[in-house]
Amino acid sequence: MENNSYILGIVADLGPWAWLIGGVILLALELALPGSFLMWLGLAAIIVGAASFAIEVSWQVAWISFAVLAIGLLLVGRHFFAPNRSQSDRPHLNERGHAMIGRQMTLSEPISDGQGRVKIGDTFWRVQGPDLAAGTRVEISGTDGSALIVSPAENPA
């Protein structure tokens, strides 16, 4: 218990400098840790420390100001610095199976018990669908993991 009062005494003696030092430490930790959470806390601490030089406030007011600033900066920062979630003109660019939806193919191997294979380019793909004979034209209607979901083509090309 004596240790805690010693540390609190040092922090109280530092006054506004404690907030500035704490803010700098939080900003330094932000560099070492992933994410962008500590940056907003560090900025809030620095703002409270700078304001404490201009206006003398009690420790309760300083902590409440820190909490309000930290939450406000976090919300504003997340809004303005969030990853760009805009829609792409090619949403399935790295999902090869999704890019094939709507294409028609010829079965390389029959679909038996719901499983078969189709050759697309130089690659054989596993397909799922109703039992069909090899050589049947199928249309890709979806994906299930790495398997393509097929059905008989309505208008074989």
Side-chain angles (χ1 to χ4, degrees):
M1 192 66 148
E2 200 172 298
N3 244 355
N4 288 342
S5 62
Y6 176 72
I7 293 171
L8 291 175
I10 291 175
V11 171
D13 289 343
L14 287 174
W17 286 104
W19 286 105
L20 295 174
I21 293 167
V24 170
I25 290 171
L26 287 168
L27 289 176
L29 284 172
E30 178 65 36
L31 294 174
L33 300 173
S36 63
F37 179 74
L38 295 176
M39 175 175 62
W40 307 116
L41 298 179
L43 288 175
I46 289 172
I47 291 170
V48 168
S52 294
F53 278 114
I55 306 167
E56 189 165 332
V57 295
S58 67
W59 65 270
Q60 295 95 338
V61 172
W63 274 102
I64 291 171
S65 301
F66 170 73
V68 169
L69 274 170
I71 291 169
L73 287 172
L74 181 64
L75 293 175
V76 169
R78 295 282 173 149
H79 177 73
F80 286 108
F81 297 106
N84 187 1
R85 290 187 171 88
S86 63
Q87 291 291 356
S88 169
D89 60 337
R90 298 177 65 190
H92 301 295
L93 177 64
N94 292 323
E95 299 173 5
R96 290 178 56 200
H98 285 296
M100 294 185 211
I101 293 175
R103 291 180 59 183
Q104 290 188 4
M105 304 289 154
T106 303
L107 286 176
S108 303
E109 296 178 11
I111 298 178
S112 174
D113 295 325
Q115 303 290 320
R117 290 184 1 153
V118 65
K119 185 174 183 181
I120 301 174
D122 61 351
T123 305
F124 282 95
W125 286 73
R126 189 169 50 92
V127 295
Q128 297 175 350
D131 290 352
L132 298 168
T136 305
R137 287 293 282 179
V138 293
E139 184 171 337
I140 301 169
S141 59
T143 62
D144 182 17
S146 63
L148 302 174
I149 299 171
V150 298
S151 57
E154 293 181 19
N155 299 321

